[in-house]
Amino acid sequence: MNTIHELSYLKEQIEELKEQGVYRKLPVFDGPNAARIHLNGKEVINLSSNNYLGFANHPRLKQAAIDAVEKYGVGAGAVRTIVGNMDIHEELERVLAEFKREEAVMLFQSGFNCNAGTIQAITDRGDVIISDELNHASIIDGVRLSRADKKVYKHSDMEDLRRILEECKGKYNTQLIITDGVFSMDGDLAKLPEIVELAEEYGALTYVDDAHGSGVLGENGRGTVDHFGLHGRVDFIIGTLSKALGVIGGYVAGSKVMQEWLSHRGRPILFSTSLPPAAVGALIEGIELLSSTDEFTKKLWDNARFFKEEMKALGFDTGQSETPITPVIIGEEGETMAFSRALLEEGVFVSGIVFPTVPKGTGRLRCMITAEHSKEDLKEALEAFARVGRKMNLIP
Ligand SMILES: *Cc1c(COP(=O)(O)O)cnc(C)c1O
């Protein structure tokens, strides 16, 4: 065989990962994503999922998915602009817009492809994108696909943002400020009121990726914009349907003009098949459920507060988190992964997050607290953290 097919250039890089102690196999679990999962043949407490409200396995969403399959089949059959636009896709957009208290919604197949498709569609040569340095990878990729100039401001640093806006003044057609609503690796909130003030002062547009804010913050989980009372002042509000809503999909909420334009120029809308009926049916039910009660978001926050306070009391560093995302900062990459492996031995599954997902030397165990965890689950997890933390001399 021709040796070129051995992909030795990739093999060498994989060896490097092993030397750095960051090589890993993808974890496999059987059964639904829940508070406790069956992972590699053993029951463990799951502190790793984005299934904030337990909707990924909620009976009402499951039944709605089954009903949608019965009525519409398993696939949409085409991209939306051809013949993949079912009435339920339009209904989902309508209920989402109402829930988000915005004029219109454009649906995408994932949060990732929503950013990849939207940013390039709404900016062009002669524009500038101003992005927080800790924005999500899908924003970074979306920005790369745009012809606009790119600037990055220091994380949540309003002085630095103002400096860049000042520098760009008068030089561009459109200025677009992009930020995560909730930063996914630290759990801190964007300084949205200040960002919006600055944007209005300098005539810039605002784009907020609220993947971790949707279903978590605001009234019944309406998101960061609702939390800060900024309706009508953020131009593009991105959400995911894959995290708190437990299914799959992404969307932009905002004005009708935004929706009209993206339906013509959003490349994932034009070139990728629309969401399958099961997902759409489940999502409509999920939004109805979320609109009807605050029971899920209340439980989520109650659990998150409890876990964070106990973690601090043990002496762990939980960083700047203001949300259910609770990072436990360990530092060095190899040590972070070793901590994660030791926790798994103790029956707690928390994935270690290291460079390049977070900056070098800030490796962490990112604990994701959900409404589905019982106090027992959380107490057991805390005890395991305490045992491993003491063994590794990270806490007293
Ligand atoms: C998870 C995440 C995404 C991607 O969403 P998916 O629906 O899983 O593709 C986009 N942006 C941010 C900030 C995220 O945290």
Side-chain angles (χ1 to χ4, degrees):
M1 193 179 90
N2 191 323
T3 55
I4 194 168
H5 300 306
E6 287 175 13
L7 307 181
S8 48
Y9 73 109
L10 296 181
K11 271 188 197 157
E12 282 159 21
Q13 293 179 81
I14 290 169
E15 283 312 311
E16 279 174 32
L17 297 181
K18 288 181 179 166
E19 278 159 30
Q20 292 157 10
V22 292
Y23 177 85
R24 48 128 187 77
K25 289 225 161 35
L26 297 177
V28 186
F29 67 107
D30 52 85
N33 194 318
R36 287 175 190 254
I37 56 172
H38 208 242
L39 185 82
N40 303 331
K42 176 175 149 188
E43 191 191 84
V44 295
I45 298 169
N46 174 14
L47 289 187
S48 291
S49 94
N50 297 320
N51 180 21
Y52 285 112
L53 306 172
F55 280 15
N57 190 40
H58 194 285
R60 271 181 59 181
L61 276 76
K62 280 163 70 173
Q63 190 56 51
I66 293 164
D67 293 346
V69 168
E70 294 292 351
K71 184 165 177 199
Y72 293 90
V74 292
V79 302
R80 283 185 81 186
T81 49
I82 302 190
V83 67
N85 186 36
M86 293 165 162
D87 56 357
I88 46 175
H89 291 99
E90 301 251 326
E91 188 189 343
L92 176 55
E93 288 180 337
R94 196 179 49 71
V95 297
L96 254 179
E98 195 180 312
F99 177 68
K100 297 290 286 188
R101 302 191 166 123
E102 297 294 329
E103 224 175 76
V105 157
M106 185 77 220
L107 193 61
F108 284 77
Q109 300 88 336
S110 77
F112 195 105
N113 94 354
C114 180
N115 280 324
T118 302
I119 298 169
Q120 59 165 317
I122 58 171
T123 55
D124 206 345
R125 216 168 256 126
D127 299 337
V128 65
I129 298 170
I130 308 172
S131 181
D132 187 288
E133 68 178 343
L134 291 191
N135 279 342
H136 190 259
S138 57
I139 294 179
I140 296 171
D141 287 9
V143 171
R144 281 183 186 147
L145 290 168
S146 165
R147 291 194 181 88
D149 280 0
K150 291 120 200 183
K151 313 262 178 199
V152 174
Y153 63 93
K154 290 198 199 105
H155 176 52
S156 284
D157 184 335
M158 295 301 104
E159 294 277 306
D160 202 38
L161 175 57
R162 180 184 283 282
R163 179 187 62 78
I164 294 173
L165 283 163
E166 193 62 42
E167 196 181 283
C168 293
K169 210 165 153 182
K171 291 188 189 148
Y172 292 99
N173 300 327
T174 301
Q175 308 175 73
L176 180 69
I177 304 172
I178 306 187
T179 181
D180 278 14
V182 175
F183 288 86
S184 50
M185 295 302 147
D186 294 272
D188 55 327
L189 295 183
K191 292 179 179 162
L192 221 46
E194 292 167 63
I195 292 173
V196 166
E197 285 287 330
L198 272 173
E200 288 174 352
E201 184 182 334
Y202 284 88
L205 299 177
T206 43
Y207 180 115
V208 176
D209 179 352
D210 212 20
H212 284 280
S214 316
V216 176
L217 285 149
E219 190 191 345
N220 291 26
R222 281 174 169 77
T224 313
V225 173
D226 191 75
H227 170 78
F228 285 118
L230 292 169
H231 290 290
R233 296 174 71 191
V234 176
D235 304 283
F236 304 94
I237 305 162
I238 281 59
T240 173
L241 302 165
S242 339
K243 289 178 175 143
L245 276 153
V247 191
I248 187 99
Y251 61 88
V252 191
S255 62
K256 260 182 96 92
V257 184
M258 168 283 294
Q259 202 270 351
E260 274 178 337
W261 177 248
L262 289 178
S263 75
H264 289 87
R265 286 293 181 275
R267 290 169 73 81
I269 311 297
L270 275 68
F271 300 110
S272 185
T273 300
S274 55
L275 285 174
V280 179
L283 285 163
I284 293 170
E285 187 69 15
I287 292 154
E288 271 165 18
L289 186 55
L290 199 47
S291 312
S292 70
T293 172
D294 62 3
E295 140 195 3
F296 298 97
T297 45
K298 266 203 174 134
K299 177 92 188 293
L300 168 65
W301 281 93
D302 186 45
N303 277 348
R305 278 189 204 105
F306 169 76
F307 187 81
K308 215 174 297 213
E309 276 164 22
E310 295 291 316
M311 206 50 129
K312 275 188 198 144
L314 284 172
F316 284 108
D317 173 9
T318 58
Q320 308 300 315
S321 171
E322 303 166 78
T323 62
I325 300 174
T326 311
V328 177
I329 316 281
I330 309 294
E332 200 264 326
E333 285 67 34
E335 195 172 22
T336 306
M337 299 313 279
F339 200 116
S340 171
R341 283 190 297 271
L343 273 176
L344 190 57
E345 289 289 309
E346 300 272 346
V348 180
F349 179 54
V350 193
S351 39
I353 304 217
V354 296
F355 179 82
T357 308
V358 293
K360 270 216 166 87
T362 70
R364 65 203 60 189
L365 300 170
R366 191 180 63 149
C367 303
M368 302 296 288
I369 307 308
T370 76
E372 266 208 318
H373 290 113
S374 66
K375 281 275 164 10
E376 277 320 304
D377 295 330
L378 297 177
K379 279 180 193 159
E380 250 185 77
L382 286 158
E383 283 161 17
F385 259 96
R387 282 195 296 274
V388 177
R390 284 187 195 117
K391 209 182 289 171
M392 292 180 67
N393 286 322
L394 287 162
I395 53 165

